[in-house]
Amino acid sequence: MADSKPTHFNGAYYAGPQGAPTVPQQPPQAYYRPGRGHSSCGFCCIIGTFLKIIITIVVIIGIAALVIWLVLRPTAIKFYVENASLTQFNLTNTNTLHYDLKLNVSITNHNRKIGIDYDNLEAAAYYAGERFGWDQLPGFYQGHKNTTILQTAFKGQSLIVPADFVANVFNDQKARGFYYVDVKIKPNMRFKIGHLKTTKYSPKIWCYFQVPLDSKNSSSSAAGGFTRTKCDVDYW
């Protein structure tokens, strides 16, 4: 009988209790599974994204406005009272103002590529802060590089309140030979660029001027006459 030889095993095997080879157990390995549905960004990331969107929109609008300005080169509309005629202006003891005032107002559009469509214009006359007359002017279209002359008239009578203050102002200016009158013009207008029209826009135009009483029977008529006056335009 051949002698049995011991069996040699490598380091992965060893003899069990009954001499049978066994495989040693490996220690369990930790396995990390990435989480789902969780973000470290949170509220700050949302705010940052929102701010980036807002900044992008503002930049786009700014660039568009700059391009439009460079193409159109818009300039402000100019209003002037070219001349005024006051043939009656008398305050009676009953605090009633009798008036007859006529104005020529020029509107100048210096723009080369922008026309103006005036739907209508309203004019109101004031003395010492009190309104005494009103006039409605018809609409018209004003083309590029154009000056239009409007004629408006205020005639009638109006009760003035407060009487004492206005009477003092009236007597002082009557002695000087001229009166300070304010005229407010409110146009309903739309700008026209090619075939496109903007929405209605209603700026307020204030014309502050002094005018002499032009009456042959009045000893208070001023010799200086009327001076062309620029009006203030309130676009807002």
Side-chain angles (χ1 to χ4, degrees):
M1 175 181 294
D3 294 336
S4 62
K5 296 182 179 179
T7 304
H8 297 281
F9 299 95
N10 57 24
Y13 295 89
Y14 69 96
Q18 287 79 23
T22 60
V23 179
Q25 297 293 326
Q26 298 292 331
Q29 296 180 354
Y31 176 74
Y32 297 97
R33 185 178 182 181
R36 291 180 295 179
H38 299 283
S39 174
S40 60
C41 183
F43 181 74
C44 293
C45 194
I46 296 175
I47 294 297
T49 303
F50 179 75
L51 291 177
K52 289 179 181 178
I53 294 174
I54 294 297
I55 293 174
T56 302
I57 294 174
V58 170
V59 170
I60 292 174
I61 293 175
I63 294 175
L66 178 61
V67 171
I68 292 174
W69 183 86
L70 291 174
V71 172
L72 299 179
R73 294 297 179 104
T75 57
I77 311 302
K78 305 294 184 182
F79 291 79
Y80 281 87
V81 179
E82 298 293 339
N83 54 66
S85 174
L86 185 64
T87 55
Q88 184 182 18
F89 206 69
N90 184 34
L91 185 64
T92 65
N93 294 331
T94 59
N95 304 322
T96 301
L97 180 66
H98 297 264
Y99 56 89
D100 189 352
L101 173 65
K102 297 180 178 64
L103 300 177
N104 285 343
V105 179
S106 67
I107 306 176
T108 302
N109 176 19
H110 291 287
N111 293 285
R112 296 178 179 274
K113 299 182 180 180
I114 302 175
I116 306 172
D117 195 0
Y118 294 90
D119 293 338
N120 58 70
L121 301 95
E122 299 176 359
Y126 294 81
Y127 180 69
E130 298 295 319
R131 194 179 83 169
F132 65 85
W134 183 85
D135 190 21
Q136 178 83 40
L137 302 176
F140 63 96
Y141 174 75
Q142 186 176 38
H144 314 148
K145 305 289 289 183
N146 177 268
T147 297
T148 303
I149 302 295
L150 300 180
Q151 295 180 343
T152 181
F154 307 94
K155 185 176 182 179
Q157 60 186 30
S158 177
L159 183 65
I160 298 297
V161 178
D164 294 338
F165 171 74
V166 176
N168 292 333
V169 174
F170 178 85
N171 292 329
D172 178 67
Q173 295 180 3
K174 181 179 180 180
R176 298 184 183 186
F178 56 84
Y179 301 91
Y180 288 97
V181 179
D182 307 331
V183 172
K184 177 185 177 182
I185 302 174
K186 185 179 180 181
N188 293 316
M189 53 192 289
R190 290 177 292 178
F191 296 101
K192 184 177 180 181
I193 306 170
H195 296 288
L196 301 178
K197 286 185 180 182
T198 65
T199 57
K200 285 187 178 181
Y201 181 59
S202 299
K204 299 178 180 64
I205 295 92
W206 283 98
C207 305
Y208 308 99
F209 57 90
Q210 63 182 36
V211 56
L213 183 62
D214 184 15
S215 175
K216 295 180 180 179
N217 298 325
S218 175
S219 59
S220 62
S221 297
F226 179 80
T227 302
R228 181 176 185 257
T229 305
K230 182 179 180 180
C231 303
D232 296 332
V233 182
D234 183 5
Y235 289 100
W236 308 106

